[in-house]
Structure formats: C-alpha cells, structure tokens
C-alpha cells in the first residue's frame, strides 16, 4: 500500500459532514459511497461518459432468462498489497452482507439473488445464489430477471471483500484495509478530512487517476471553495450568485425529494389527515421559493434516461391532491428535515403550507446520520428526505416502499397488494406488463398519502476551472474522480 508522497495532481473535494459508514456494507448512504467508490472496485465501474462497463469482471455470460450469470474476473487484478482478487472474495462479500447475525443494511440490495432473503432472515430456502467455480470464475443465480445488475455491481456493497482482513462484521482500521480500486485510503481525521492516494497496483495500467484526493469534511462549501480549500463541492443554487459562472456545473439527477408520513403515529393513522397533508402541500411553491434549480414532482418516479418510457406510458398516474384540508385544523405536528440551509428552507415552506390549513408545525432540523436513525426507528411524524436511485429504472424508486423485504420502507407503510404488484413487475421480462404493474403500484402508494413527492433534484456543483474528467452520474454514486485531471 502506497502511503503517499509529494504529488503533482491533487484534487480537494468537499463532503457535507462525517461519512456515516466506512464499512461499505453497513449503510447505503451517498456520503459514505463517495469515499468507497474510489477505494473499493466493483465488478463494473463507470467510464468517462458515465456508462457502466466491466471493471474487476473481465466479462460475463447470461442465460436466456437473464437469471443466471457466469462472471470471469480479470486475472491481472490484485489488491493493493499484491494479493490476487479472487472469486472467493466476491462470494465472501455477498455472504458477509447477508449473514443474519451481522445486521448490515446493505443486505436487502442482495435480495435479487436466489435464496438471499431466506438466508438473511434465518429461514429455510435454497442456497444463496453465488458460488465459486474456479479462482477467477463466479456464478450468480437470481430469483428474477435482472437486466440492471451491471449497474448494481458498481455500488460499493457489491465490491469483493477480504475474509482474512475482515472478521465477520468487524473490520480493521480503515487505513489498514487493502484497496481494490484506483485509490488507497491512507488517512482519516475525524471531522477534518479523508485522504486517498493513487493505488499503483490498480489493474487498469492505462488509467492515470489523480495522485491524491483529499476529501474535506464539513464547513461552508462556498467559503471553502472561495478560500481555495476545495476544488469540487455541491452547494445550494441560491449561493451561486457569489461564484464565477465558469465555476458552476448543474447536473440533473435520478433522485427525488419527498415527504414521509409516519404510518405508525396515532395522529397520522387517519387517511383523511394524510390526504389533507398532501392537499395542502404545493411542490411548485417549494421549488420556486426554496429550490429554484429543482423540478416539482407529482409522482414518485422522476424523469431520467431510464424512466422516460415508463412515464410516457403511464401518464395517468399522479398524486391525488383534491382532499379537504379541514382535518389539519388544530393538529400539532413535527417536521423532521436536514440541518443544512437548503433542507431547512424546503421544510419552512412546507411548514407554512400546512400552517395555512390550520396545523401547528414545528420544524426539527437534524444532522444526516441522526435524521436517518430517527426515521429508521420510527421516531418522527413527518420527514423530508431524498433518495438517489441505485440504478436508472422506475423499479429503483418503487421497490424502496415494499414492506415484505428489507428495502427502505421508511414510512412504515405496509400493503400486501403493493408488495405483490412490485414483485410481479420484478419477475416479468415483458416491458409493457412491467410498466402496467408498476403504474398500479405507484398509484396505490400515492393514493395512500404515506409518501408525498416534492422535487426532482438538479445538483449544483462548484468546480475549479481546469478540473476536467469528473463524471456526474444520474443514478448511483457521483461524482466519480478516477478520470479527473487538471
């Protein structure tokens, strides 16, 4: 492992705060993924244009039903300590994520594999659909057609892991974990920075990533950019007036901002109250007053390359907003949101809309990790959250609300018909039937008013002039810095 040296090509990026998880399988949050993506290589990666291409997988073959894939690994690929990357590393990573005693949040992402859900939940079932055929060949068996699996393989939880350095759920200090990606993680200072340096044993000898990437943690992104402390940062659209236009990049994302209405809260169990909340909220006003670069939404699936066909075929689906708002009169509610300027502004507009209908709303800003812990534990009434799709498909947004698997389902809503419709959509290879099933599921969820769409994100980035090759993906992890250069 290279421990750093004087460098000619150094990039300083910004992260809003502390990464919640250095373990790639302990969480599924974007902040942590930005660290993981250059450190742990997947079977696939993103190329310079944002397309998904082979990485540790040299190639793979699918059977006719697209439920079985045989993957051949690159024989030249090694860890940063020189040990070859093997099929057993791939298998170990999957089984570690799924182990029923580990409690790793990334487990549900593996549920597309045959037997994975049963194993994770301690139930009888077929063996988990990952097996080693040789040192460089691994076989995957899925319980549904998965044409999007190459996109999933770019995500850090799917990266191979080392059994000899990870003892079950625990892991060595982050700076001692070997790298399989283009960078070694060599320094972490809590509340300050994460430093990565180029991995000279990376398999792609033609790739020349930056010599060093320093991720600065926290602070005001505009102030840090203007002071020369960071070269790349995402920020509020309302702050760009302070910045030279040549330094501003806007990237549409396959992501949404939405309200969760906690189905487990006694005040919100009444469907008339939830319908009144949906009727009182006006996404157009939220966008114009608090998020001018964002697009107001009337449904849970935003527009992107992978969703445009579905949206065109299902125009009739929309959130019902025609209810009487009278049930809100005198209601006392808390609205959980993020603690940054944009999140607070969005929450204040929503709170004002609910107050105009007679509710007494208290805005509760919390930090990233604390907010999502509260939501997972059901310790909230209404919350504004964001979700960026793992892969570019309507399924990536709708499967999050299934309650019989381990997906997000942060609203605690449970509906057997919704679960069945999504399951049938996942199992069919017919695009038209899949769209029809997903449209019925989306309409059912919107009509329950447990999840209320607000905005589609358009991310605003500050980028130092001369910094080229940064890849901003619509779905998955962004930005990708392995191609970046001055």
């Amino acid at each position: 492992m290279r421990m750093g040296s004087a460098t000619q090509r150094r990039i300083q990026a910004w992260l809003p705060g502390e990464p919640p998880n250095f373990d790639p399988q302990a969480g599924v949050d974007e902040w942590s993924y930005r660290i993981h993506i250059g450190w742990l290589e997947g079977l696939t990666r993103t190329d310079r244009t944002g397309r998904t291409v082979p990485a540790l997988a040299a190639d793979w073959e699918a059977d006719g039903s697209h439920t079985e894939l045989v993957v051949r690994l690159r024989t030249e690929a090694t860890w940063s300590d020189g040990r070859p990357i093997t099929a057993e590393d791939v298998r170990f990573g999957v089984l570690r994520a799924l182990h029923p005693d580990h409690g790793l949040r990334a487990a549900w992402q593996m549920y597309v594999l045959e037997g994975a859900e049963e194993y994770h939940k301690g139930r009888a079932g077929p063996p988990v659909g990952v097996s080693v055929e040789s040192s460089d060949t691994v076989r995957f068996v899925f319980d549904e057609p998965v044409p999007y699996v190459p996109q999933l393989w770019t995500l850090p939880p799917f990266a191979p892991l080392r059994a000899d350095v990870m003892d079950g759920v625990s892991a060595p200090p982050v700076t001692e974990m070997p790298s399989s990606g283009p960078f070694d993680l060599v320094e972490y200072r809590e509340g300050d920075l994460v430093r990565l340096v180029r991995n000279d044993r990376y398999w792609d000898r033609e790739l020349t990533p930056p010599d060093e990437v320093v991720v600065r943690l926290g602070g005001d992104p505009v102030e840090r950019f203007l002071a020369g402390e960071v070269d790349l940062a995402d920020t509020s659209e309302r702050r760009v007036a302070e910045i030279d236009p040549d330094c501003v990049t806007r990237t549409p994302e396959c992501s949404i901002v939405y309200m969760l209405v906690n189905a487990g809260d006694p005040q919100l169990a009444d469907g008339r109250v939830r319908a009144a909340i949906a009727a009182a909220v006006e996404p157009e006003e939220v966008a114009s007053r608090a998020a001018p670069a964002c697009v107001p939404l009337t449904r849970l699936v935003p527009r992107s390359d992978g969703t445009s066909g579905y949206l065109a075929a299902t125009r009739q689906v929309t959130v019902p907003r025609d209810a009487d708002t009278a049930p809100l009169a005198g209601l006392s509610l808390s609205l959980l949101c993020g603690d940054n300027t944009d999140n607070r502004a969005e929450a204040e507009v929503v709170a004002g809309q609910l107050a105009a209908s007679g509710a007494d709303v208290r805005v509760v800003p919390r930090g990233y990790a604390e907010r999502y812990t509260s939501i997972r534990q059901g310790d909230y009434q209404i919350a504004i959250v964001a979700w960026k799709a793992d892969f570019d498909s309507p399924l990536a947004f709708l499967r999050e609300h299934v309650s019989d698997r381990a997906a997000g389902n942060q609203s605690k809503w449970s509906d057997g018909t919704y679960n069945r419709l999504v399951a049938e959509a996942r199992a069919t290879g017919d695009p038209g039937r899949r769209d029809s099933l997903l449209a019925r599921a989306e309409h059912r969820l919107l009509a329950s008013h447990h999840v209320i769409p607000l905005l589609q994100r358009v991310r605003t980035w500050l980028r130092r002039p001369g910094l080229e090759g940064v890849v901003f993906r619509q779905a998955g992890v962004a930005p990708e810095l392995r191609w970046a250069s001055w």
Side-chain angles (χ1 to χ4, degrees):
M1 181 181 293
R2 175 179 151 182
M3 296 304 293
S5 61
T7 60
Q8 290 76 46
R9 295 193 306 137
R10 182 191 201 204
I11 294 174
Q12 299 185 100
W14 177 78
L15 199 64
E18 202 71 25
N21 298 288
F22 279 97
D23 184 327
Q25 296 179 333
V28 291
D29 64 279
E30 180 186 1
W31 293 8
S32 301
Y33 277 7
R34 290 195 203 175
I35 303 295
H36 298 151
I37 195 67
W39 177 30
L40 297 170
E41 184 86 300
L43 297 177
T44 56
R45 69 180 185 184
T46 301
D47 71 6
R48 295 175 186 271
T49 68
R51 294 183 307 118
T52 301
V53 297
L56 292 180
D59 57 56
W60 56 84
E61 293 179 1
D63 69 349
S65 65
H66 216 84
T67 58
E68 189 168 326
L69 276 75
V70 176
V71 177
R72 285 172 288 274
L73 302 179
R74 296 183 186 276
T75 55
E76 70 272 27
T78 69
W79 296 91
S80 54
D81 62 3
R83 207 211 77 172
I85 297 172
T86 68
E88 182 55 40
D89 297 333
V90 177
R91 178 179 177 273
F92 170 76
V94 171
L95 295 183
R96 176 181 184 266
L98 288 168
H99 196 288
D101 294 338
H102 290 169
L104 294 166
R105 290 196 65 222
W108 68 268
Q109 293 185 318
M110 311 289 176
Y111 277 17
V112 292
L113 290 167
E114 184 177 70
E117 182 176 1
E118 293 86 348
Y119 174 62
H120 183 237
K121 294 183 176 179
R123 302 198 305 246
V128 177
V130 55
S131 59
V132 172
E133 302 216 328
S134 69
S135 63
D136 62 356
T137 306
V138 60
R139 182 182 297 271
F140 292 95
V141 180
F142 302 93
D143 64 3
E144 62 189 62
V146 281
Y148 54 83
V149 77
Q151 293 186 57
L152 284 182
W153 280 342
T154 68
L155 300 176
F158 289 87
L161 294 174
R162 290 270 292 271
D164 61 322
V165 298
M166 305 189 82
D167 180 16
V169 72
S170 64
V174 292
T175 56
E176 296 179 13
M177 291 179 63
S179 165
S180 55
F183 300 103
D184 288 323
L185 196 160
V186 299
E187 185 179 10
Y188 166 51
R189 299 205 298 259
E190 186 175 353
D192 185 12
L193 61 81
V194 177
R195 187 163 67 93
L196 303 102
V197 300
R198 189 171 63 199
N199 173 14
D200 291 327
R201 286 197 169 107
Y202 183 59
W203 65 267
D204 187 352
R205 302 293 188 247
E206 295 183 2
L207 177 67
T208 54
D211 295 286
E212 182 177 77
V213 172
V214 177
V215 182
R216 306 285 182 185
L217 305 178
D220 183 275
V222 173
E223 292 178 3
R224 301 198 79 164
F225 185 81
L226 292 173
E229 297 174 2
V230 295
D231 306 306
L232 182 70
D234 51 322
T235 188
S236 166
E237 176 67 19
R238 292 172 298 156
R239 301 289 303 279
V240 298
E242 306 170 44
I243 303 296
D244 183 334
D246 291 339
C247 298
V248 177
T249 299
R250 295 176 180 85
T251 60
E253 290 194 332
C254 196
S255 65
I256 62 172
V257 178
Y258 56 96
M259 292 175 59
L260 292 173
V261 182
N262 188 354
D265 185 275
Q267 292 190 88
L268 302 172
D270 188 338
R272 293 172 301 174
V273 173
R274 298 193 304 273
I277 291 172
V281 173
E282 299 178 8
E284 294 81 2
E285 183 185 18
V286 178
S288 63
R289 291 182 53 193
C294 294
V295 179
L297 285 180
T298 60
R299 57 190 303 180
L300 287 167
V301 178
R303 184 165 299 281
S304 66
D305 294 341
T307 67
S308 57
Y310 168 74
L311 294 175
T314 60
R315 296 183 189 277
Q316 76 280 7
V317 177
T318 186
V319 59
R321 298 186 189 269
D322 55 355
D324 184 358
T325 61
L328 295 181
L331 204 63
S332 180
L333 297 170
S334 62
L335 175 57
L336 181 64
C337 69
D339 62 356
N340 65 43
T341 303
D342 283 356
N343 292 164
R344 288 170 182 259
E346 292 162 0
E348 291 293 348
V349 174
V350 170
Q353 293 173 343
L354 296 175
S357 295
D360 178 18
V361 183
R362 178 173 61 96
V363 174
V364 182
R366 288 185 181 163
Y368 188 90
E370 183 184 5
R371 176 169 39 123
Y372 280 96
T373 297
S374 296
I375 291 170
R376 285 199 303 273
Q377 295 174 347
D379 183 21
Y380 75 102
Q381 289 185 301
I382 306 173
I384 297 179
V385 300
W387 170 253
K388 185 175 182 181
D390 294 334
F391 54 95
D392 191 359
S393 162
L395 185 59
F397 294 93
L398 298 177
R399 69 174 190 165
E400 295 308 302
H401 306 287
V402 169
S403 60
D404 62 352
R405 308 190 76 151
N409 189 34
Q410 297 178 105
S411 73
K412 311 303 180 187
W413 179 64
S414 180
D415 181 77
T417 300
Y418 181 86
N419 296 344
R420 177 181 57 79
L421 290 168
V422 175
E424 290 182 15
R426 295 176 69 150
T428 182
D430 180 342
R433 174 167 168 74
R434 183 186 302 115
D435 286 351
S436 176
L437 289 164
L438 290 178
R440 289 166 59 193
E442 186 180 6
H443 173 76
R444 191 172 184 86
L445 178 54
L446 292 172
S448 78
H449 301 113
H450 284 91
V451 181
I452 303 170
L454 290 176
L455 308 166
Q456 178 176 4
R457 284 275 189 233
V458 176
R459 193 79 64 112
T460 302
W461 294 92
L462 309 181
R463 179 169 51 173
R464 190 79 56 201
L467 178 58
E468 303 294 339
V470 179
V471 176
F472 301 101
R473 299 176 65 196
Q474 283 192 315
V477 187
E480 170 65 80
L481 297 178
R482 73 181 66 205
W483 308 103
S485 64
W486 290 103

